[in-house]
Amino acid sequence: MRKLGRQLLAGPYLVWMIGFILLPIVIILYYAFTNTSGAFTWDNIAAIADPVHVKSILLSLKLGFFCTVVCLLLAYPLAMILNSFHFKHQSFVVFLFVLPMWMNFMLRILAWRLLLSNNGIVNALFGLFGFGPVKMLNTPTAVVFGMVYDFLPFMILPIYNSIARIKPDVIEAAKDLGANSRIVLIRIIFPLTLSGVISGIVMVFVPALTSFVISDLLGGGKVLLIGNVIEQEFMQGSNWNLGSGLSVVLMIFVIASMAVMNIFDKDQGGTAVW
């Protein structure tokens, strides 16, 4: 009876997974390996070798890498600072980073579009210090800035959770044995938080690699990522076959990056000490 009840409770989730995960993937795979007449073909997959597509995916990897590195460099010290405050309720820290995400995504990015424009607040501040107008909008730098702004919470939260789980006794024991702050950070704290770092890297790199809205709004159509190419094939060119083929290639890149991160996480386990 209990088993039947559990199956009934799992029913809605199975329907959701089939309708909104498995079925769309099957449709994408069908279009990716067929042409407009429905015949099997590899041309849609091979189209990734086109110079335009190669350039866009390399740019996506480059900006995704820079976004991930910047988020990591900002998130790790910030997570340590937050942990040093010793909040009684950790849920309050989570609330601080989730709160901005309650605002509409488009509104937040459009706000940065105004801030980074030639006549925006950022350039106005530069003018107070004698700097001329700096062209920031419609550049790869603006796209990376928008990605960092949007994905930074996904890096902070797993790292903060990993740091918060470290028992103070471990750090005190290391200091009692003569380890200074640098050694404690490198050989104790960082290895123990490696699982959180890897989780943050995956959670930031994957959406940064597949992003297209941020590059549309802050890149002004001049920063063409692989996500923009796929979006144009579906929405403007109405070429679902080519768009699906490029989507499959992008999916392979995403799965490969997650597999590599999983290997490192498996080796260290997030708890190994050097």
Side-chain angles (χ1 to χ4, degrees):
M1 191 67 178
R2 290 183 178 180
K3 186 176 181 180
L4 178 61
R6 291 175 181 175
Q7 291 177 349
L8 292 175
L9 290 175
Y13 296 101
L14 293 175
V15 172
W16 178 273
M17 291 175 61
I18 294 173
F20 294 96
I21 299 178
L22 297 180
L23 187 59
I25 291 177
V26 171
I27 294 174
I28 290 295
L29 291 175
Y30 168 78
Y31 278 106
F33 292 99
T34 57
N35 55 25
T36 53
S37 61
F40 178 83
T41 180
W42 289 96
D43 293 343
N44 300 318
I45 303 296
I48 192 63
D50 186 277
V52 174
H53 299 155
V54 172
K55 183 179 179 180
S56 63
I57 199 167
L58 289 178
L59 183 59
S60 298
L61 290 169
K62 177 182 176 181
L63 297 188
F65 173 77
F66 282 134
C67 171
T68 305
V69 171
V70 173
C71 284
L72 179 59
L73 293 177
L74 292 175
Y76 206 95
L78 181 55
M80 293 189 65
I81 293 172
L82 290 173
N83 184 67
S84 66
F85 290 156
H86 300 293
F87 289 105
K88 185 176 181 180
H89 301 287
Q90 292 187 6
S91 58
F92 177 72
V93 178
V94 177
F95 171 77
L96 290 177
F97 291 102
V98 173
L99 183 61
M101 301 176 67
W102 290 358
M103 186 183 298
N104 184 271
F105 168 78
M106 295 289 290
L107 292 178
R108 289 185 282 129
I109 299 301
L110 287 173
W112 279 111
R113 181 178 176 85
L114 295 175
L115 291 172
L116 297 176
S117 64
N118 292 336
N119 299 321
I121 296 177
V122 176
N123 269 313
L125 293 175
F126 285 159
L128 296 177
F129 296 96
F131 296 100
V134 179
K135 181 175 176 56
M136 293 175 287
L137 199 61
N138 302 333
T139 63
T141 302
V143 175
V144 173
F145 188 91
M147 288 180 177
V148 171
Y149 164 75
D150 196 53
F151 303 139
L152 183 60
F154 299 119
M155 182 70 77
I156 294 177
L157 291 178
I159 294 177
Y160 172 77
N161 289 332
S162 296
I163 294 176
R165 287 198 298 266
I166 299 177
K167 295 181 179 180
D169 296 344
V170 176
I171 298 176
E172 292 178 3
K175 291 182 177 180
D176 290 341
L177 292 173
N180 56 32
S181 299
R182 183 177 65 86
I183 297 298
V184 169
L185 174 62
I186 295 175
R187 304 197 61 175
I188 303 297
I189 297 179
F190 184 76
L192 291 175
T193 59
L194 190 57
S195 61
V197 171
I198 293 176
S199 296
I201 290 174
V202 173
M203 293 174 66
V204 170
F205 181 75
V206 170
L209 178 62
T210 58
S211 175
F212 67 92
V213 176
I214 296 176
S215 54
D216 269 344
L217 297 177
L218 298 182
K222 298 181 180 180
V223 182
L224 194 65
L225 304 182
I226 187 63
N228 299 110
V229 175
I230 295 173
E231 187 263 344
Q232 290 174 7
E233 294 297 339
F234 276 102
M235 304 303 296
Q236 299 178 18
S238 297
N239 191 343
W240 283 37
N241 301 94
L242 180 56
S244 298
L246 297 177
S247 298
V248 170
V249 176
L250 182 59
M251 190 187 307
I252 293 173
F253 272 94
V254 171
I255 294 174
S257 63
M258 294 178 67
V260 171
M261 291 295 101
N262 186 58
I263 291 174
F264 284 104
D265 189 28
K266 185 177 181 180
D267 290 340
Q268 298 295 341
T271 58
V273 180
W274 298 350

